[in-house]
Amino acid sequence: GGIITQTPKFLIGQEGQKLTLKCQQNFNHDTMYWYRQDSGKGLRLIYYSITENDLQKGDLSEGYDASREKKSSFSLTVTSAQKNEMAVFLCASSRLGGREEQYFGPGTRLTVL
Amino acid sequence: GDSVTQTEGLVTLTKGLPVMLNCTYQTTYSPFLFWYVQHLNEAPKLLLKSSTDNKRTEHQGFYATLHKSSSSFHLQKSSVQLSDSALYFCALSDQAGSALGRLHFGAGTQLIVIP
């Protein structure tokens, strides 16, 4: 088994601030993902990475940057936080890609004042 | 492009009744479909998956059959329990046979089971 760790668990930011979210996995999975989930709604893919140093844009990449520093870690940066924004950011990983089960982390809850 | 449609945003049912959550998809590749479940304040988890036409897949009392003829992968259970209350996502894998693929998620169906 393995685990996905996301830090921080809660993130409060100010409008216009640059905010970074971190994700670590010990599954030794190749592919990692960042999703945004608005309250009670679906998952929207922001970025994903097939291997270390790879980066692929998802459907919601505008306003975000991502970095896959090493196989086990994948970070997401909100480049300029929007006022009153509230969402949960979920990190996930899978063994090879789209046809494999994705394992999700517990999420980072973002609130922008 | 690839897409998934879940027509019901909210389904409310009394305990013990059967349920069917709809999922239809569009893809130009050979489809690989998933159902994920997310309980309140938890991470989504895989419930079941399939790529085989007309074969029923089951897990934890839930079942689904991929029908390529109708591009559907509906989730069913014969008798819902209070613990089944959760958000259910249907998802489609693209890039058939490739490691480069990603999932396309539907908007989700919130299932609420009442006593």
Side-chain angles (χ1 to χ4, degrees):
Chain A
I3 192 167
I4 295 181
T5 305
Q6 291 187 238
T7 55
K9 193 175 174 78
F10 298 95
L11 183 55
I12 299 176
Q14 301 289 330
E15 184 182 12
Q17 197 176 0
K18 185 173 172 180
L19 303 166
T20 297
L21 293 69
K22 294 189 180 293
C23 177
Q24 296 264 351
Q25 53 96 0
N26 64 359
F27 288 98
N28 199 33
H29 283 164
D30 293 296
T31 310
M32 295 185 74
Y33 308 82
W34 275 108
Y35 293 93
R36 174 181 166 131
Q37 184 174 31
D38 293 281
S39 180
K41 299 230 166 46
L43 305 177
R44 291 187 286 175
L45 183 64
I46 305 172
Y47 273 100
Y48 66 109
S49 169
I50 297 162
T51 188
E52 186 178 336
N53 294 320
D54 174 73
L55 208 54
Q56 307 284 336
K57 288 186 178 181
D59 304 317
L60 198 67
S61 60
E62 189 168 333
Y64 302 94
D65 286 328
S67 175
R68 182 88 180 268
E69 306 89 0
K70 49 186 179 180
K71 188 174 183 180
S72 62
S73 67
F74 193 29
S75 59
L76 179 73
T77 298
V78 180
T79 55
S80 179
Q82 301 299 304
K83 189 175 174 62
N84 297 324
E85 181 176 8
M86 285 180 63
V88 175
F89 291 85
L90 291 166
C91 176
S93 71
S94 67
R95 195 165 63 88
L96 281 176
R99 299 210 141 191
E100 300 288 333
E101 177 178 358
Q102 290 189 15
Y103 295 83
F104 286 82
T108 292
R109 289 185 178 274
L110 171 67
T111 301
V112 181
L113 302 176
Chain B
D2 294 345
S3 66
V4 174
T5 301
Q6 293 181 248
T7 51
E8 310 101 350
L10 174 66
V11 172
T12 305
L13 278 175
T14 302
K15 174 186 164 185
L17 290 180
V19 66
M20 184 169 86
L21 306 183
N22 290 314
C23 173
T24 56
Y25 63 89
Q26 282 189 306
T27 183
T28 53
Y29 297 98
S30 183
F32 204 113
L33 275 294
F34 301 78
W35 275 101
Y36 281 80
V37 57
Q38 185 180 27
H39 287 93
L40 189 62
N41 295 325
E42 294 184 11
K45 293 179 186 175
L46 179 66
L47 183 56
L48 45 80
K49 62 182 181 181
S50 179
S51 62
T52 305
D53 199 13
N54 297 319
K55 182 181 176 183
R56 178 163 148 160
T57 300
E58 298 189 39
H59 186 61
Q60 296 181 338
F62 287 91
Y63 59 94
T65 303
L66 177 61
H67 291 297
K68 294 184 181 180
S69 60
S70 57
S71 299
S72 66
F73 190 57
H74 305 320
L75 182 67
Q76 297 180 263
K77 190 175 187 185
S78 57
S79 174
V80 293
Q81 304 303 309
L82 296 176
S83 58
D84 294 328
S85 294
L87 190 52
Y88 292 82
F89 296 104
C90 184
L92 165 73
S93 173
D94 71 3
Q95 300 282 342
S98 164
L100 303 181
R102 49 156 288 184
L103 287 182
H104 298 270
F105 281 88
T109 298
Q110 181 73 52
L111 174 63
I112 297 176
V113 181
I114 56 176

